[in-house]
Amino acid sequence: MIWNETIECMDREEMRKLQSIRLKRVVEHVYHNTPFYRKKMQEMGITPDDIQSIEDISKLPFTVKQDLRDNYPFGLMAVPMSEIVRLHASSGTTGKPIVVGYTRKDLSIWSEVVARCLTAYGLTKNDSVQVSYGYGLFTGGLGAHAGVENIGGTVIPMSSGNTQKQIQLMHDFGAKGLACTPSYALYLAETIHNSGIPLEEFQLRVGAFGAEPWTENMRKELEQKLNIKAYDIYGLTEICGPGVGGECECQNGTHLWEDHFFPEIVDPVTLQPVPEGEQGELVFTTLTKEGMPMIRYRTRDLTHLIYEKCECGRTAVRMGRILGRSDDMMIIRGVNVFPSQVESVLLEMPEFEPHYLIVVDRVNNTDTFQIQVEVRPDYYSDEMNKMIALKKKIAARMQSVIGIQPDIKIVEPRSLERSMGKAKHVIDNRKLV
Ligand code: ADP
Ligand code: K
Ligand code: ZN
C-alpha cells in the first residue's frame, strides 16, 4: 500500500521539477526572513536569483549544528513566533540544546511523511500502534503519534518507560504496531520472554524502529524475538523528526521523502558531492518548511543513496543503512571503530546477548579498548576454561571485523543497563583528559 502514490512514485524528471520550484521558493523565504541565511549568501556573493533549479543547490552554503547553537533559541526562525505552534528540542551531545519551531503547515507535512512510512509498513486505520518513543521535547513520540492518527489508526500513546505496563497493554489492547528505538524493542522483547505470556497471545506484527543506528543483524534478532517485520524509520530534529524517511516492504533501503527534504551525499572533509552510490555524509535541504527551514544541513550521518526504482514501485530515493554518525566514530589505536560493528558481531554469535558497553581509555600513551558483554544463560558456565574459550572466540571475531583486538569483559547476566530510548554504548574516558 502506498499513502501518496502521486508523489512516492513520481517520475524522477517530474520530481526534479517539483524540487526546483520548491528550492527557489525556500531560498527566497530564508533570504528575506532569516538574517543568518541572508548574511551567509551575501558573503558568498549569491542572491536568490542564482538559484534557478535543483542543480543550483551546490551554490548554497552549508549549515551545521553549531549554527543552531550560535543562534539559540529562535535566531533561525523564518516566521514570527505568532506562526510557530510547536517547539521541539534535541539534547545534542554537548553544550546548549538545539531548538526547532514548526508552523501549522510544518506539522501537517510531518504527519504526512510519517503516514507514508506507516503505510509502507502495511499499517492501516484498522490497526492500533503503540508509541513507545518518549513524548516531550524529543520528536519521536509526538511525531509517530501524529502519523498514526493521520492514517486513521488507533494510537496507544505509551511514551517510554514503565516496561511491565507496556507489555501488559500491548497484550490487552492487541497492538499491531510498535514504534520505539531498536534498543527499547530489544528490552521489550526480553521482558515479554520473561513475563511468561506466550508470544502467540500478542497481535504485534510491525515494528517502526529508529532514532538510533541499528544493523541488519539487529533486524533479524527483533523480527525473530517478537515475531514481527521490523522496519526502519529515520529522521532528525533539525529536519522534522522521525519520518524524513522510512522503509517499504522490500526492506532494501529507507525511502527518503525528497519532495520535502532534498538529500545530498558529500565528502565530509572536502564537502564535495560524492559520485552516485558512494558513502559520505548525508545533507538535507528542507524544501517546504516554513518555521525553521534548513539549507544544506550537515547531518553527520554516514550513508549512501540509491536512485534506482524500488521493487515496491516507489521512485523515491533510498538511503542505505546508516553506519553511524561521524561523531560516534572512535579512533582507537589509529583504527576507525563504529559501535554498530560491535553490535553486528554480537548478534552473529548465539553465545552472547546483543547488549554491550564499550569503554575506551588511554593508559601509558596507548588506547585501551574494552567491550563488556553478557553471555546468554544457556551458554553461561562456572567453568573458567569455557568462559576463557568464549572470550577468545569473540575477541578474534571482533578483531577480524573491526581491525583491532578488544579486551573482552564478561559481566553478570542482565547487568548491563537496558535502554528505553537511545542506547548509550560508549564510555570514552580519553575525552576527559
Ligand atoms: P540527538 O542529536 O539528540 O540524538 P535527534 O533525536 O534529532 O537528536 O537524533 C537524530 C539522529 O538520530 C540522526 O541524525 C541519526 O544520527 C540518528 N537516527 C535517527 N533515526 C535513525 C535511523 N533510523 N537509523 C540510524 N540512525 C538514526
Ligand atoms: K504561536
Ligand atoms: Zn520500496
Side-chain angles (χ1 to χ4, degrees), residues 305-358:
L305 296 179
I306 307 148
Y307 285 91
E308 281 146 45
K309 183 173 173 181
C310 182
E311 277 175 36
C312 70
R314 289 176 185 83
T315 49
V317 62
R318 279 169 292 157
M319 165 181 93
R321 272 217 183 268
I322 292 187
L323 181 59
R325 294 200 220 192
S326 51
D327 324 21
D328 293 340
M329 190 187 82
M330 297 164 280
I331 301 180
I332 305 175
R333 287 176 232 145
V335 174
N336 298 350
V337 179
F338 281 98
S340 56
Q341 295 174 303
V342 172
E343 174 186 296
S344 193
V345 170
L346 284 172
L347 284 161
E348 273 172 17
M349 302 185 65
E351 300 93 331
F352 295 93
E353 296 283 2
H355 304 282
Y356 65 97
L357 182 68
I358 300 172

Coordinates of all heavy atoms in Angstrom, one line a residue, residues 305-358:
L305 N 23.2 6.8 -1.1 CA 21.9 6.9 -1.7 C 21.8 6.0 -3.0 O 22.7 5.7 -3.7 CB 21.6 8.3 -2.2 CG 21.5 9.3 -1.0 CD1 21.2 10.7 -1.6 CD2 20.5 9.0 0.0
I306 N 20.6 5.4 -3.1 CA 20.3 4.5 -4.3 C 19.1 5.2 -5.1 O 18.0 5.4 -4.5 CB 19.8 3.1 -3.7 CG1 20.9 2.6 -2.7 CG2 19.6 2.2 -4.9 CD1 20.3 1.7 -1.6
Y307 N 19.4 5.5 -6.3 CA 18.4 6.2 -7.1 C 17.5 5.3 -8.0 O 16.5 5.7 -8.6 CB 19.0 7.3 -8.0 CG 19.4 8.5 -7.2 CD1 20.7 8.5 -6.6 CD2 18.5 9.5 -6.9 CE1 21.1 9.6 -5.8 CE2 18.8 10.5 -6.1 CZ 20.1 10.6 -5.6 OH 20.5 11.7 -4.8
E308 N 17.9 4.0 -8.1 CA 17.1 3.1 -8.9 C 15.7 2.9 -8.3 O 15.5 2.9 -7.1 CB 17.7 1.7 -8.9 CG 18.8 1.5 -9.8 CD 19.8 0.5 -9.2 OE1 19.4 -0.5 -8.7 OE2 21.0 0.8 -9.2
K309 N 14.7 2.7 -9.2 CA 13.4 2.5 -8.8 C 13.3 1.2 -7.9 O 14.0 0.2 -8.2 CB 12.5 2.3 -10.0 CG 11.0 2.1 -9.7 CD 10.2 2.1 -11.0 CE 8.8 1.8 -10.6 NZ 7.9 1.8 -11.8
C310 N 12.5 1.3 -6.9 CA 12.4 0.2 -5.9 C 11.4 -0.8 -6.4 O 10.5 -0.5 -7.1 CB 12.0 0.7 -4.6 SG 11.9 -0.5 -3.3
E311 N 11.6 -2.1 -6.0 CA 10.6 -3.1 -6.4 C 9.2 -2.8 -5.9 O 8.2 -3.4 -6.5 CB 11.1 -4.5 -5.9 CG 12.1 -5.1 -6.9 CD 12.7 -6.4 -6.3 OE1 11.9 -7.1 -5.7 OE2 13.9 -6.6 -6.5
C312 N 9.1 -2.0 -4.9 CA 7.7 -1.7 -4.4 C 7.0 -0.8 -5.3 O 5.8 -0.5 -5.1 CB 7.9 -1.1 -3.0 SG 8.6 0.6 -3.1
G313 N 7.7 -0.2 -6.3 CA 7.0 0.7 -7.2 C 7.3 2.2 -6.9 O 7.1 3.0 -7.8
R314 N 7.9 2.4 -5.7 CA 8.2 3.8 -5.4 C 9.5 4.2 -6.2 O 10.5 3.4 -6.3 CB 8.5 4.0 -3.9 CG 7.2 3.9 -3.1 CD 7.5 3.9 -1.6 NE 6.3 3.7 -0.8 CZ 5.8 2.5 -0.5 NH1 6.3 1.4 -0.9 NH2 4.6 2.4 0.2
T315 N 9.5 5.5 -6.6 CA 10.7 6.0 -7.2 C 11.5 6.8 -6.2 O 12.7 7.2 -6.5 CB 10.3 7.0 -8.4 OG1 9.4 7.9 -7.9 CG2 9.8 6.2 -9.6
A316 N 10.9 7.1 -5.1 CA 11.6 7.9 -4.1 C 13.0 7.3 -3.7 O 13.1 6.1 -3.5 CB 10.8 8.0 -2.8
V317 N 14.0 8.2 -3.7 CA 15.4 7.7 -3.5 C 15.5 6.9 -2.2 O 14.7 7.2 -1.2 CB 16.3 8.9 -3.5 CG1 16.0 9.9 -2.3 CG2 17.8 8.5 -3.4
R318 N 16.4 5.9 -2.2 CA 16.6 5.1 -1.0 C 17.9 5.4 -0.3 O 18.9 5.7 -1.1 CB 16.5 3.6 -1.3 CG 15.1 3.1 -1.4 CD 15.0 1.7 -1.9 NE 15.5 1.7 -3.3 CZ 15.9 0.7 -4.0 NH1 16.1 -0.5 -3.3 NH2 16.3 0.7 -5.2
M319 N 18.0 5.3 1.0 CA 19.2 5.5 1.7 C 19.6 4.2 2.3 O 18.8 3.4 2.8 CB 18.9 6.5 2.8 CG 19.9 6.6 3.9 SD 19.3 7.8 5.1 CE 18.5 6.8 6.3
G320 N 20.9 3.9 2.2 CA 21.4 2.6 2.8 C 21.4 2.8 4.3 O 21.2 3.8 4.8
R321 N 21.7 1.7 5.0 CA 21.8 1.7 6.4 C 22.8 2.8 6.9 O 23.9 2.9 6.3 CB 22.2 0.4 7.0 CG 21.0 -0.5 7.2 CD 21.1 -1.3 8.5 NE 20.0 -2.1 8.6 CZ 18.9 -1.8 9.2 NH1 18.8 -0.6 9.9 NH2 17.8 -2.6 9.2
I322 N 22.5 3.4 8.0 CA 23.4 4.4 8.5 C 24.5 3.7 9.3 O 24.2 3.0 10.2 CB 22.7 5.5 9.3 CG1 21.8 6.3 8.3 CG2 23.6 6.4 10.1 CD1 21.1 7.4 8.9
L323 N 25.7 3.9 8.9 CA 26.8 3.3 9.5 C 27.0 3.8 10.9 O 27.4 3.2 11.9 CB 28.1 3.5 8.7 CG 29.4 2.9 9.2 CD1 29.3 1.4 9.3 CD2 30.5 3.4 8.2
G324 N 26.7 5.1 11.1 CA 26.8 5.8 12.4 C 26.9 7.2 12.1 O 27.0 7.6 10.9
R325 N 27.0 8.0 13.1 CA 27.3 9.4 12.9 C 28.8 9.6 12.9 O 29.5 8.8 13.7 CB 26.8 10.2 14.1 CG 25.3 10.2 14.2 CD 24.9 11.4 15.1 NE 23.8 11.0 16.0 CZ 23.2 11.9 16.7 NH1 23.5 13.2 16.6 NH2 22.2 11.6 17.5
S326 N 29.2 10.5 12.2 CA 30.7 10.7 12.2 C 31.1 11.0 13.7 O 32.2 10.7 14.1 CB 31.1 11.8 11.2 OG 30.4 13.0 11.4
D327 N 30.2 11.6 14.5 CA 30.6 11.9 15.9 C 30.7 10.6 16.7 O 31.3 10.6 17.8 CB 29.5 12.7 16.6 CG 28.9 13.8 15.8 OD1 28.9 13.6 14.6 OD2 28.3 14.7 16.4
D328 N 30.0 9.5 16.3 CA 30.1 8.2 17.0 C 31.3 7.5 16.7 O 31.7 6.5 17.4 CB 28.9 7.3 16.6 CG 27.6 7.8 17.0 OD1 27.5 8.7 17.9 OD2 26.6 7.3 16.4
M329 N 32.0 7.8 15.6 CA 33.2 7.1 15.2 C 34.3 7.3 16.2 O 34.6 8.5 16.6 CB 33.6 7.5 13.8 CG 34.7 6.6 13.3 SD 35.3 7.2 11.7 CE 36.5 8.3 12.3
M330 N 34.9 6.2 16.7 CA 36.0 6.4 17.6 C 37.3 6.0 16.9 O 37.2 5.1 16.0 CB 35.9 5.4 18.8 CG 34.7 5.6 19.7 SD 34.4 4.2 20.7 CE 33.5 3.1 19.5
I331 N 38.3 6.7 17.2 CA 39.6 6.3 16.6 C 40.4 5.6 17.7 O 40.8 6.3 18.7 CB 40.4 7.4 15.9 CG1 39.5 8.1 14.9 CG2 41.7 7.0 15.4 CD1 40.1 9.2 14.1
I332 N 40.5 4.3 17.6 CA 41.2 3.6 18.7 C 42.5 3.0 18.1 O 42.4 2.2 17.1 CB 40.3 2.5 19.3 CG1 39.0 3.1 19.7 CG2 41.0 1.8 20.4 CD1 38.0 2.1 20.2
R333 N 43.6 3.3 18.7 CA 44.9 2.9 18.1 C 45.0 3.1 16.6 O 45.4 2.2 15.9 CB 45.2 1.5 18.5 CG 45.5 1.3 20.0 CD 45.7 -0.2 20.3 NE 44.9 -0.6 21.4 CZ 44.3 -1.8 21.6 NH1 44.4 -2.7 20.7 NH2 43.6 -2.0 22.7
G334 N 44.4 4.2 16.2 CA 44.5 4.6 14.8 C 43.5 4.0 13.9 O 43.5 4.2 12.7
V335 N 42.6 3.1 14.5 CA 41.6 2.4 13.6 C 40.3 3.0 13.9 O 39.9 3.3 15.0 CB 41.6 0.9 13.9 CG1 40.5 0.2 13.2 CG2 43.0 0.3 13.6
N336 N 39.5 3.3 12.8 CA 38.1 3.8 12.9 C 37.2 2.7 13.4 O 37.1 1.6 12.8 CB 37.6 4.3 11.6 CG 38.4 5.4 11.1 OD1 39.3 6.0 11.8 ND2 38.2 5.8 9.8
V337 N 36.5 2.9 14.5 CA 35.6 1.9 15.1 C 34.2 2.6 15.3 O 34.1 3.6 15.8 CB 36.1 1.5 16.5 CG1 35.2 0.4 17.1 CG2 37.5 0.9 16.4
F338 N 33.2 1.8 14.8 CA 31.8 2.3 15.0 C 31.1 1.3 15.9 O 31.3 0.1 15.8 CB 31.0 2.3 13.7 CG 31.3 3.4 12.8 CD1 32.2 3.4 11.8 CD2 30.7 4.6 13.1 CE1 32.5 4.5 11.0 CE2 30.9 5.8 12.3 CZ 31.8 5.7 11.2
P339 N 30.3 1.8 16.9 CA 29.6 0.9 17.7 C 28.8 -0.2 17.0 O 28.6 -1.3 17.4 CB 28.7 1.8 18.5 CG 29.4 3.1 18.5 CD 30.1 3.2 17.2
S340 N 28.3 0.2 15.8 CA 27.4 -0.7 15.0 C 28.2 -2.0 14.6 O 27.6 -3.0 14.5 CB 26.8 0.0 13.8 OG 27.9 0.5 13.0
Q341 N 29.5 -1.9 14.5 CA 30.3 -3.1 14.1 C 30.3 -4.1 15.3 O 30.2 -5.3 15.1 CB 31.7 -2.7 13.9 CG 31.9 -1.8 12.6 CD 33.3 -1.3 12.4 OE1 33.9 -0.7 13.3 NE2 33.9 -1.6 11.3
V342 N 30.3 -3.5 16.5 CA 30.3 -4.4 17.7 C 29.0 -5.1 17.8 O 28.8 -6.3 18.0 CB 30.6 -3.5 19.0 CG1 30.4 -4.4 20.2 CG2 32.1 -3.0 18.9
E343 N 27.9 -4.3 17.6 CA 26.5 -4.8 17.7 C 26.4 -5.9 16.7 O 25.8 -7.0 17.0 CB 25.5 -3.7 17.3 CG 24.1 -4.2 17.3 CD 23.1 -3.1 16.8 OE1 23.0 -2.2 17.6 OE2 22.5 -3.3 15.7
S344 N 26.9 -5.7 15.5 CA 26.7 -6.7 14.4 C 27.4 -8.0 14.8 O 26.8 -9.1 14.6 CB 27.3 -6.1 13.2 OG 26.9 -6.9 12.1
V345 N 28.6 -8.0 15.4 CA 29.3 -9.2 15.7 C 28.5 -9.9 16.9 O 28.3 -11.1 16.8 CB 30.7 -8.9 16.2 CG1 31.4 -10.1 16.8 CG2 31.6 -8.4 15.0
L346 N 28.1 -9.2 17.9 CA 27.4 -9.8 19.0 C 26.2 -10.6 18.5 O 25.8 -11.6 19.0 CB 27.0 -8.8 20.0 CG 28.1 -8.2 20.9 CD1 27.6 -7.1 21.7 CD2 28.6 -9.3 21.8
L347 N 25.5 -10.0 17.5 CA 24.2 -10.6 17.1 C 24.5 -11.8 16.2 O 23.6 -12.6 16.0 CB 23.4 -9.6 16.3 CG 22.7 -8.6 17.2 CD1 22.3 -7.3 16.5 CD2 21.5 -9.2 17.9
E348 N 25.7 -11.9 15.7 CA 26.0 -13.1 14.9 C 26.3 -14.3 15.8 O 26.4 -15.5 15.3 CB 27.3 -12.9 14.1 CG 27.2 -12.2 12.8 CD 28.6 -11.9 12.3 OE1 29.6 -12.4 12.8 OE2 28.7 -11.1 11.4
M349 N 26.7 -14.1 17.0 CA 27.1 -15.1 17.9 C 26.1 -15.5 18.9 O 25.7 -14.7 19.8 CB 28.4 -14.7 18.6 CG 29.5 -14.3 17.6 SD 31.1 -13.9 18.4 CE 31.5 -15.5 19.1
P350 N 25.5 -16.7 18.8 CA 24.4 -17.1 19.6 C 24.8 -17.2 21.1 O 23.9 -17.1 22.0 CB 24.1 -18.6 19.2 CG 25.3 -19.0 18.4 CD 25.9 -17.8 17.8
E351 N 26.1 -17.2 21.4 CA 26.5 -17.3 22.8 C 26.3 -16.0 23.6 O 26.3 -16.0 24.8 CB 28.0 -17.6 22.9 CG 28.4 -19.0 22.2 CD 28.8 -18.8 20.8 OE1 28.4 -17.8 20.1 OE2 29.6 -19.6 20.3
F352 N 26.1 -14.9 22.8 CA 26.1 -13.6 23.5 C 24.8 -12.8 23.3 O 24.1 -13.0 22.3 CB 27.2 -12.7 23.0 CG 28.6 -13.2 23.3 CD1 29.3 -14.0 22.4 CD2 29.2 -12.9 24.6 CE1 30.5 -14.6 22.7 CE2 30.4 -13.5 24.9 CZ 31.1 -14.3 24.0
E353 N 24.5 -12.0 24.4 CA 23.3 -11.1 24.3 C 23.7 -9.9 23.4 O 24.9 -9.6 23.3 CB 23.0 -10.6 25.7 CG 22.5 -11.6 26.7 CD 21.1 -12.1 26.4 OE1 20.4 -11.6 25.5 OE2 20.6 -12.9 27.2
P354 N 22.8 -9.2 22.8 CA 23.1 -8.1 22.0 C 23.4 -6.8 22.8 O 23.6 -5.8 22.2 CB 21.9 -7.9 21.1 CG 20.9 -8.9 21.5 CD 21.3 -9.6 22.7
H355 N 23.5 -6.9 24.1 CA 23.8 -5.7 24.9 C 25.3 -5.6 25.1 O 26.0 -6.6 25.3 CB 23.1 -5.8 26.3 CG 21.6 -6.0 26.2 ND1 20.8 -5.0 25.9 CD2 20.9 -7.2 26.3 CE1 19.5 -5.5 25.9 NE2 19.6 -6.8 26.1
Y356 N 25.8 -4.4 25.1 CA 27.2 -4.2 25.2 C 27.5 -2.8 25.7 O 26.7 -1.9 25.5 CB 27.9 -4.5 23.9 CG 27.6 -3.5 22.8 CD1 28.4 -2.4 22.5 CD2 26.4 -3.7 22.1 CE1 28.1 -1.5 21.5 CE2 26.1 -2.8 21.1 CZ 26.9 -1.7 20.8 OH 26.6 -0.8 19.8
L357 N 28.7 -2.7 26.2 CA 29.2 -1.3 26.6 C 30.7 -1.3 26.2 O 31.5 -2.2 26.6 CB 29.1 -1.1 28.1 CG 29.6 0.3 28.6 CD1 28.7 1.4 28.0 CD2 29.6 0.4 30.1
I358 N 31.1 -0.3 25.5 CA 32.5 -0.1 25.0 C 33.1 0.9 26.0 O 32.6 2.0 26.2 CB 32.5 0.4 23.6 CG1 31.9 -0.6 22.6 CG2 34.0 0.7 23.2 CD1 31.7 0.0 21.2

